[in-house]
Amino acid sequence: MNAPAKAVQSPEAFLDSLFDESILIKTGVDGLYGRAGVFEEVIDRFEDAVTKMAVGDKATRIHFPPGMPRKNLEKAGYLKSFPQLAGCVHSFMGDNADHAKLVGMIEKGEDWTEMQDATEVALTPAACYPLYPTVAAAGPVPDGGKLFDLKSYCFRHEPSKDPGRMQLFRMREFVRIGTADDVIAFRATWLERGEQLIKSLGLPCVIDLANDPFFGRPGRMLAANQREQGLKFELLIPVASDDNPTACLSFNYHQNHFGTLWGMQFADGEAVHSACVGFGLERTALALFRHHGTKVEAWPDDVRRVLWG
Ligand code: AMP
Ligand code: ZN
């Protein structure tokens, strides 16, 4: 059956319908799913449409793995701002006696995780995090700045029954590095392009001011500050709920924060500004399935034309 578009009772009911139709495959952990071939096909086609929009920009494409140096996540301040979301890879580093203890603990059903220690690898929380230190290491940024095209699986510890809130998901990102004017213009261009692309896919959307989920009480001030300065916008689409639409694209201006932090600078020593535009690939695919149904052959012709040419 072609799952009825439009009517979604609750995020959990939407997730169950995706399991029932084998669009997503259960693993037993909320937010950790297998993806059906058709789901991947939709993501591939959507990414091609994004690539087509950006083709004249001549961005440098880089593919980092979904893990990054733990030290760089620390230095980026991620544990200060979002400790609740961070994930670090742990591994067993003991001797034979420790190994016997580990196996014994598992056999007895005990918690064995104390037998592991943190490795040098943390899971990447956003596709752009591994980039900045590599830009700094490449030397002075040329006058015209730089533009990157990135994609990564990202981890955020936010288990949920909302299919739009996964623990491991992919983000396609464009990152612009340059003067304040350069990066603000870049963000403005993508605010227009993003809306145009999503509307061409027959999806209802609004763009709104947003903030990141900074942790704790001091976080509330950071979030208010971010909003006041208009540093983050999101493109929202009703996916698992009509009342709370889901952020599928985000448009972030970092001012010279990362430039100063990582020492990314022009030849005269001035810190660069940066901005990034992130496409949530799973969320966009889910929006398409929700609004057009699970049978892609039956999607409206104009939508199919954008994706399949
Ligand atoms: P953010 O850095 O929070 O603005 O995230 C960038 C983009 O990644 C968002 O616009 C979403 O589309 C996507 N995203 C963020 N968190 C999740 C999640 N838990 N599950 C799936 N997609 C996500
Ligand atoms: Zn980013």
PDB file of all heavy atoms in Angstrom, residues 109-138:
ATOM      1  N   GLY A 109      26.447 -11.123  32.776  1.00  0.00           N
ATOM      2  CA  GLY A 109      25.463 -10.071  32.479  1.00  0.00           C
ATOM      3  C   GLY A 109      25.745  -8.781  33.228  1.00  0.00           C
ATOM      4  O   GLY A 109      24.837  -7.960  33.428  1.00  0.00           O
ATOM      5  N   GLU A 110      27.001  -8.599  33.675  1.00  0.00           N
ATOM      6  CA  GLU A 110      27.345  -7.375  34.405  1.00  0.00           C
ATOM      7  C   GLU A 110      27.699  -6.256  33.432  1.00  0.00           C
ATOM      8  O   GLU A 110      27.985  -6.505  32.258  1.00  0.00           O
ATOM      9  CB  GLU A 110      28.548  -7.638  35.331  1.00  0.00           C
ATOM     10  CG  GLU A 110      28.238  -8.602  36.456  1.00  0.00           C
ATOM     11  CD  GLU A 110      29.494  -9.016  37.231  1.00  0.00           C
ATOM     12  OE1 GLU A 110      30.610  -8.524  36.910  1.00  0.00           O
ATOM     13  OE2 GLU A 110      29.351  -9.856  38.139  1.00  0.00           O
ATOM     14  N   ASP A 111      27.712  -5.038  33.963  1.00  0.00           N
ATOM     15  CA  ASP A 111      28.132  -3.899  33.149  1.00  0.00           C
ATOM     16  C   ASP A 111      29.647  -3.966  32.959  1.00  0.00           C
ATOM     17  O   ASP A 111      30.396  -3.871  33.928  1.00  0.00           O
ATOM     18  CB  ASP A 111      27.737  -2.595  33.851  1.00  0.00           C
ATOM     19  CG  ASP A 111      28.153  -1.371  33.047  1.00  0.00           C
ATOM     20  OD1 ASP A 111      28.663  -1.528  31.913  1.00  0.00           O
ATOM     21  OD2 ASP A 111      27.976  -0.252  33.552  1.00  0.00           O
ATOM     22  N   TRP A 112      30.093  -4.179  31.737  1.00  0.00           N
ATOM     23  CA  TRP A 112      31.519  -4.383  31.439  1.00  0.00           C
ATOM     24  C   TRP A 112      32.185  -3.128  30.874  1.00  0.00           C
ATOM     25  O   TRP A 112      33.374  -3.144  30.573  1.00  0.00           O
ATOM     26  CB  TRP A 112      31.670  -5.522  30.418  1.00  0.00           C
ATOM     27  CG  TRP A 112      30.819  -5.314  29.193  1.00  0.00           C
ATOM     28  CD1 TRP A 112      29.537  -5.719  29.025  1.00  0.00           C
ATOM     29  CD2 TRP A 112      31.166  -4.583  28.006  1.00  0.00           C
ATOM     30  NE1 TRP A 112      29.067  -5.306  27.805  1.00  0.00           N
ATOM     31  CE2 TRP A 112      30.047  -4.605  27.146  1.00  0.00           C
ATOM     32  CE3 TRP A 112      32.325  -3.934  27.566  1.00  0.00           C
ATOM     33  CZ2 TRP A 112      30.041  -3.988  25.896  1.00  0.00           C
ATOM     34  CZ3 TRP A 112      32.317  -3.313  26.318  1.00  0.00           C
ATOM     35  CH2 TRP A 112      31.189  -3.348  25.500  1.00  0.00           C
ATOM     36  N   THR A 113      31.415  -2.034  30.753  1.00  0.00           N
ATOM     37  CA  THR A 113      31.953  -0.885  30.021  1.00  0.00           C
ATOM     38  C   THR A 113      33.126  -0.212  30.738  1.00  0.00           C
ATOM     39  O   THR A 113      33.924   0.476  30.103  1.00  0.00           O
ATOM     40  CB  THR A 113      30.847   0.155  29.735  1.00  0.00           C
ATOM     41  OG1 THR A 113      30.143   0.417  30.956  1.00  0.00           O
ATOM     42  CG2 THR A 113      29.856  -0.354  28.718  1.00  0.00           C
ATOM     43  N   GLU A 114      33.244  -0.440  32.060  1.00  0.00           N
ATOM     44  CA  GLU A 114      34.399   0.136  32.774  1.00  0.00           C
ATOM     45  C   GLU A 114      35.722  -0.481  32.300  1.00  0.00           C
ATOM     46  O   GLU A 114      36.785   0.050  32.584  1.00  0.00           O
ATOM     47  CB  GLU A 114      34.247  -0.101  34.287  1.00  0.00           C
ATOM     48  CG  GLU A 114      34.323  -1.581  34.641  1.00  0.00           C
ATOM     49  CD  GLU A 114      34.181  -1.844  36.136  1.00  0.00           C
ATOM     50  OE1 GLU A 114      33.091  -1.563  36.671  1.00  0.00           O
ATOM     51  OE2 GLU A 114      35.143  -2.333  36.752  1.00  0.00           O
ATOM     52  N   MET A 115      35.629  -1.593  31.568  1.00  0.00           N
ATOM     53  CA  MET A 115      36.846  -2.249  31.073  1.00  0.00           C
ATOM     54  C   MET A 115      37.364  -1.589  29.784  1.00  0.00           C
ATOM     55  O   MET A 115      38.346  -2.026  29.207  1.00  0.00           O
ATOM     56  CB  MET A 115      36.581  -3.739  30.790  1.00  0.00           C
ATOM     57  CG  MET A 115      36.134  -4.531  31.992  1.00  0.00           C
ATOM     58  SD  MET A 115      37.319  -4.445  33.356  1.00  0.00           S
ATOM     59  CE  MET A 115      38.700  -5.346  32.667  1.00  0.00           C
ATOM     60  N   GLN A 116      36.679  -0.566  29.356  1.00  0.00           N
ATOM     61  CA  GLN A 116      37.125   0.157  28.159  1.00  0.00           C
ATOM     62  C   GLN A 116      37.610   1.556  28.536  1.00  0.00           C
ATOM     63  O   GLN A 116      37.125   2.140  29.503  1.00  0.00           O
ATOM     64  CB  GLN A 116      35.969   0.309  27.162  1.00  0.00           C
ATOM     65  CG  GLN A 116      35.571  -0.994  26.492  1.00  0.00           C
ATOM     66  CD  GLN A 116      34.774  -0.734  25.228  1.00  0.00           C
ATOM     67  OE1 GLN A 116      34.009   0.216  25.156  1.00  0.00           O
ATOM     68  NE2 GLN A 116      34.949  -1.593  24.235  1.00  0.00           N
ATOM     69  N   ASP A 117      38.533   2.048  27.739  1.00  0.00           N
ATOM     70  CA  ASP A 117      39.008   3.420  27.931  1.00  0.00           C
ATOM     71  C   ASP A 117      38.733   4.237  26.672  1.00  0.00           C
ATOM     72  O   ASP A 117      38.620   3.695  25.574  1.00  0.00           O
ATOM     73  CB  ASP A 117      40.519   3.429  28.201  1.00  0.00           C
ATOM     74  CG  ASP A 117      40.825   2.805  29.544  1.00  0.00           C
ATOM     75  OD1 ASP A 117      40.206   3.211  30.543  1.00  0.00           O
ATOM     76  OD2 ASP A 117      41.677   1.871  29.581  1.00  0.00           O
ATOM     77  N   ALA A 118      38.698   5.558  26.870  1.00  0.00           N
ATOM     78  CA  ALA A 118      38.432   6.450  25.737  1.00  0.00           C
ATOM     79  C   ALA A 118      39.591   6.382  24.746  1.00  0.00           C
ATOM     80  O   ALA A 118      40.759   6.413  25.133  1.00  0.00           O
ATOM     81  CB  ALA A 118      38.249   7.868  26.240  1.00  0.00           C
ATOM     82  N   THR A 119      39.251   6.278  23.474  1.00  0.00           N
ATOM     83  CA  THR A 119      40.268   6.340  22.415  1.00  0.00           C
ATOM     84  C   THR A 119      40.476   7.806  22.011  1.00  0.00           C
ATOM     85  O   THR A 119      39.830   8.702  22.553  1.00  0.00           O
ATOM     86  CB  THR A 119      39.827   5.552  21.162  1.00  0.00           C
ATOM     87  OG1 THR A 119      38.723   6.244  20.563  1.00  0.00           O
ATOM     88  CG2 THR A 119      39.415   4.134  21.512  1.00  0.00           C
ATOM     89  N   GLU A 120      41.317   7.992  21.018  1.00  0.00           N
ATOM     90  CA  GLU A 120      41.556   9.353  20.501  1.00  0.00           C
ATOM     91  C   GLU A 120      40.426   9.829  19.593  1.00  0.00           C
ATOM     92  O   GLU A 120      40.451  10.940  19.095  1.00  0.00           O
ATOM     93  CB  GLU A 120      42.826   9.359  19.643  1.00  0.00           C
ATOM     94  CG  GLU A 120      44.107   9.215  20.410  1.00  0.00           C
ATOM     95  CD  GLU A 120      45.275   9.214  19.433  1.00  0.00           C
ATOM     96  OE1 GLU A 120      45.330   8.308  18.573  1.00  0.00           O
ATOM     97  OE2 GLU A 120      46.085  10.134  19.522  1.00  0.00           O
ATOM     98  N   VAL A 121      39.449   8.926  19.361  1.00  0.00           N
ATOM     99  CA  VAL A 121      38.411   9.238  18.369  1.00  0.00           C
ATOM    100  C   VAL A 121      37.088   9.600  19.043  1.00  0.00           C
ATOM    101  O   VAL A 121      36.610   8.888  19.929  1.00  0.00           O
ATOM    102  CB  VAL A 121      38.180   8.014  17.441  1.00  0.00           C
ATOM    103  CG1 VAL A 121      37.093   8.309  16.408  1.00  0.00           C
ATOM    104  CG2 VAL A 121      39.479   7.610  16.761  1.00  0.00           C
ATOM    105  N   ALA A 122      36.519  10.715  18.625  1.00  0.00           N
ATOM    106  CA  ALA A 122      35.153  11.072  19.040  1.00  0.00           C
ATOM    107  C   ALA A 122      34.283  10.992  17.795  1.00  0.00           C
ATOM    108  O   ALA A 122      34.781  11.105  16.673  1.00  0.00           O
ATOM    109  CB  ALA A 122      35.127  12.475  19.612  1.00  0.00           C
ATOM    110  N   LEU A 123      32.987  10.786  18.003  1.00  0.00           N
ATOM    111  CA  LEU A 123      32.092  10.738  16.852  1.00  0.00           C
ATOM    112  C   LEU A 123      31.788  12.165  16.393  1.00  0.00           C
ATOM    113  O   LEU A 123      31.599  13.060  17.226  1.00  0.00           O
ATOM    114  CB  LEU A 123      30.812   9.982  17.224  1.00  0.00           C
ATOM    115  CG  LEU A 123      31.064   8.498  17.555  1.00  0.00           C
ATOM    116  CD1 LEU A 123      29.808   7.846  18.117  1.00  0.00           C
ATOM    117  CD2 LEU A 123      31.531   7.748  16.322  1.00  0.00           C
ATOM    118  N   THR A 124      31.771  12.345  15.101  1.00  0.00           N
ATOM    119  CA  THR A 124      31.566  13.673  14.516  1.00  0.00           C
ATOM    120  C   THR A 124      30.124  14.122  14.760  1.00  0.00           C
ATOM    121  O   THR A 124      29.193  13.419  14.371  1.00  0.00           O
ATOM    122  CB  THR A 124      31.826  13.601  12.997  1.00  0.00           C
ATOM    123  OG1 THR A 124      33.145  13.102  12.802  1.00  0.00           O
ATOM    124  CG2 THR A 124      31.671  14.955  12.341  1.00  0.00           C
ATOM    125  N   PRO A 125      29.912  15.287  15.388  1.00  0.00           N
ATOM    126  CA  PRO A 125      28.535  15.731  15.655  1.00  0.00           C
ATOM    127  C   PRO A 125      27.932  16.568  14.528  1.00  0.00           C
ATOM    128  O   PRO A 125      26.717  16.720  14.456  1.00  0.00           O
ATOM    129  CB  PRO A 125      28.675  16.581  16.917  1.00  0.00           C
ATOM    130  CG  PRO A 125      30.064  17.126  16.857  1.00  0.00           C
ATOM    131  CD  PRO A 125      30.901  16.160  16.060  1.00  0.00           C
ATOM    132  N   ALA A 126      28.771  17.147  13.690  1.00  0.00           N
ATOM    133  CA  ALA A 126      28.288  17.919  12.534  1.00  0.00           C
ATOM    134  C   ALA A 126      29.394  17.864  11.492  1.00  0.00           C
ATOM    135  O   ALA A 126      30.588  17.895  11.839  1.00  0.00           O
ATOM    136  CB  ALA A 126      27.993  19.362  12.912  1.00  0.00           C
ATOM    137  N   ALA A 127      28.999  17.794  10.223  1.00  0.00           N
ATOM    138  CA  ALA A 127      29.976  17.505   9.160  1.00  0.00           C
ATOM    139  C   ALA A 127      31.133  18.496   9.113  1.00  0.00           C
ATOM    140  O   ALA A 127      32.231  18.165   8.681  1.00  0.00           O
ATOM    141  CB  ALA A 127      29.267  17.451   7.810  1.00  0.00           C
ATOM    142  N   CYS A 128      30.893  19.733   9.591  1.00  0.00           N
ATOM    143  CA  CYS A 128      31.940  20.759   9.437  1.00  0.00           C
ATOM    144  C   CYS A 128      32.990  20.740  10.542  1.00  0.00           C
ATOM    145  O   CYS A 128      34.047  21.359  10.386  1.00  0.00           O
ATOM    146  CB  CYS A 128      31.316  22.146   9.320  1.00  0.00           C
ATOM    147  SG  CYS A 128      30.415  22.687  10.784  1.00  0.00           S
ATOM    148  N   TYR A 129      32.726  20.046  11.655  1.00  0.00           N
ATOM    149  CA  TYR A 129      33.683  20.104  12.777  1.00  0.00           C
ATOM    150  C   TYR A 129      35.095  19.642  12.428  1.00  0.00           C
ATOM    151  O   TYR A 129      36.056  20.260  12.866  1.00  0.00           O
ATOM    152  CB  TYR A 129      33.151  19.308  13.981  1.00  0.00           C
ATOM    153  CG  TYR A 129      32.314  20.164  14.894  1.00  0.00           C
ATOM    154  CD1 TYR A 129      30.998  20.481  14.562  1.00  0.00           C
ATOM    155  CD2 TYR A 129      32.823  20.690  16.083  1.00  0.00           C
ATOM    156  CE1 TYR A 129      30.227  21.284  15.382  1.00  0.00           C
ATOM    157  CE2 TYR A 129      32.050  21.497  16.901  1.00  0.00           C
ATOM    158  CZ  TYR A 129      30.759  21.779  16.544  1.00  0.00           C
ATOM    159  OH  TYR A 129      30.003  22.593  17.358  1.00  0.00           O
ATOM    160  N   PRO A 130      35.265  18.556  11.667  1.00  0.00           N
ATOM    161  CA  PRO A 130      36.650  18.126  11.370  1.00  0.00           C
ATOM    162  C   PRO A 130      37.380  19.066  10.413  1.00  0.00           C
ATOM    163  O   PRO A 130      38.597  19.013  10.294  1.00  0.00           O
ATOM    164  CB  PRO A 130      36.469  16.756  10.694  1.00  0.00           C
ATOM    165  CG  PRO A 130      35.057  16.364  10.918  1.00  0.00           C
ATOM    166  CD  PRO A 130      34.275  17.614  11.123  1.00  0.00           C
ATOM    167  N   LEU A 131      36.636  19.941   9.732  1.00  0.00           N
ATOM    168  CA  LEU A 131      37.236  20.752   8.668  1.00  0.00           C
ATOM    169  C   LEU A 131      38.165  21.854   9.184  1.00  0.00           C
ATOM    170  O   LEU A 131      39.280  22.029   8.663  1.00  0.00           O
ATOM    171  CB  LEU A 131      36.127  21.384   7.811  1.00  0.00           C
ATOM    172  CG  LEU A 131      36.635  22.328   6.714  1.00  0.00           C
ATOM    173  CD1 LEU A 131      37.263  21.537   5.567  1.00  0.00           C
ATOM    174  CD2 LEU A 131      35.499  23.222   6.183  1.00  0.00           C
ATOM    175  N   TYR A 132      37.702  22.618  10.173  1.00  0.00           N
ATOM    176  CA  TYR A 132      38.384  23.870  10.528  1.00  0.00           C
ATOM    177  C   TYR A 132      39.869  23.703  10.859  1.00  0.00           C
ATOM    178  O   TYR A 132      40.693  24.485  10.355  1.00  0.00           O
ATOM    179  CB  TYR A 132      37.618  24.595  11.648  1.00  0.00           C
ATOM    180  CG  TYR A 132      36.163  24.818  11.272  1.00  0.00           C
ATOM    181  CD1 TYR A 132      35.131  24.174  11.956  1.00  0.00           C
ATOM    182  CD2 TYR A 132      35.825  25.630  10.200  1.00  0.00           C
ATOM    183  CE1 TYR A 132      33.805  24.348  11.590  1.00  0.00           C
ATOM    184  CE2 TYR A 132      34.493  25.803   9.822  1.00  0.00           C
ATOM    185  CZ  TYR A 132      33.487  25.159  10.526  1.00  0.00           C
ATOM    186  OH  TYR A 132      32.178  25.329  10.140  1.00  0.00           O
ATOM    187  N   PRO A 133      40.243  22.720  11.705  1.00  0.00           N
ATOM    188  CA  PRO A 133      41.682  22.600  11.978  1.00  0.00           C
ATOM    189  C   PRO A 133      42.510  22.286  10.729  1.00  0.00           C
ATOM    190  O   PRO A 133      43.663  22.701  10.642  1.00  0.00           O
ATOM    191  CB  PRO A 133      41.778  21.453  12.997  1.00  0.00           C
ATOM    192  CG  PRO A 133      40.412  20.914  13.164  1.00  0.00           C
ATOM    193  CD  PRO A 133      39.434  21.812  12.530  1.00  0.00           C
ATOM    194  N   THR A 134      41.896  21.608   9.756  1.00  0.00           N
ATOM    195  CA  THR A 134      42.660  21.296   8.532  1.00  0.00           C
ATOM    196  C   THR A 134      42.838  22.548   7.675  1.00  0.00           C
ATOM    197  O   THR A 134      43.845  22.695   6.990  1.00  0.00           O
ATOM    198  CB  THR A 134      41.992  20.178   7.693  1.00  0.00           C
ATOM    199  OG1 THR A 134      40.793  20.683   7.102  1.00  0.00           O
ATOM    200  CG2 THR A 134      41.670  18.944   8.522  1.00  0.00           C
ATOM    201  N   VAL A 135      41.870  23.456   7.726  1.00  0.00           N
ATOM    202  CA  VAL A 135      42.000  24.723   6.989  1.00  0.00           C
ATOM    203  C   VAL A 135      43.108  25.551   7.620  1.00  0.00           C
ATOM    204  O   VAL A 135      43.955  26.121   6.924  1.00  0.00           O
ATOM    205  CB  VAL A 135      40.663  25.504   6.992  1.00  0.00           C
ATOM    206  CG1 VAL A 135      40.837  26.886   6.377  1.00  0.00           C
ATOM    207  CG2 VAL A 135      39.587  24.721   6.250  1.00  0.00           C
ATOM    208  N   ALA A 136      43.101  25.593   8.952  1.00  0.00           N
ATOM    209  CA  ALA A 136      44.134  26.369   9.655  1.00  0.00           C
ATOM    210  C   ALA A 136      45.520  25.822   9.316  1.00  0.00           C
ATOM    211  O   ALA A 136      46.464  26.588   9.086  1.00  0.00           O
ATOM    212  CB  ALA A 136      43.891  26.313  11.163  1.00  0.00           C
ATOM    213  N   ALA A 137      45.624  24.486   9.246  1.00  0.00           N
ATOM    214  CA  ALA A 137      46.933  23.865   9.001  1.00  0.00           C
ATOM    215  C   ALA A 137      47.430  24.122   7.583  1.00  0.00           C
ATOM    216  O   ALA A 137      48.629  24.010   7.310  1.00  0.00           O
ATOM    217  CB  ALA A 137      46.840  22.352   9.256  1.00  0.00           C
ATOM    218  N   ALA A 138      46.505  24.467   6.678  1.00  0.00           N
ATOM    219  CA  ALA A 138      46.895  24.676   5.271  1.00  0.00           C
ATOM    220  C   ALA A 138      47.520  26.051   5.041  1.00  0.00           C
ATOM    221  O   ALA A 138      47.902  26.370   3.919  1.00  0.00           O
ATOM    222  CB  ALA A 138      45.679  24.479   4.364  1.00  0.00           C
TER     223      ALA A 138
END
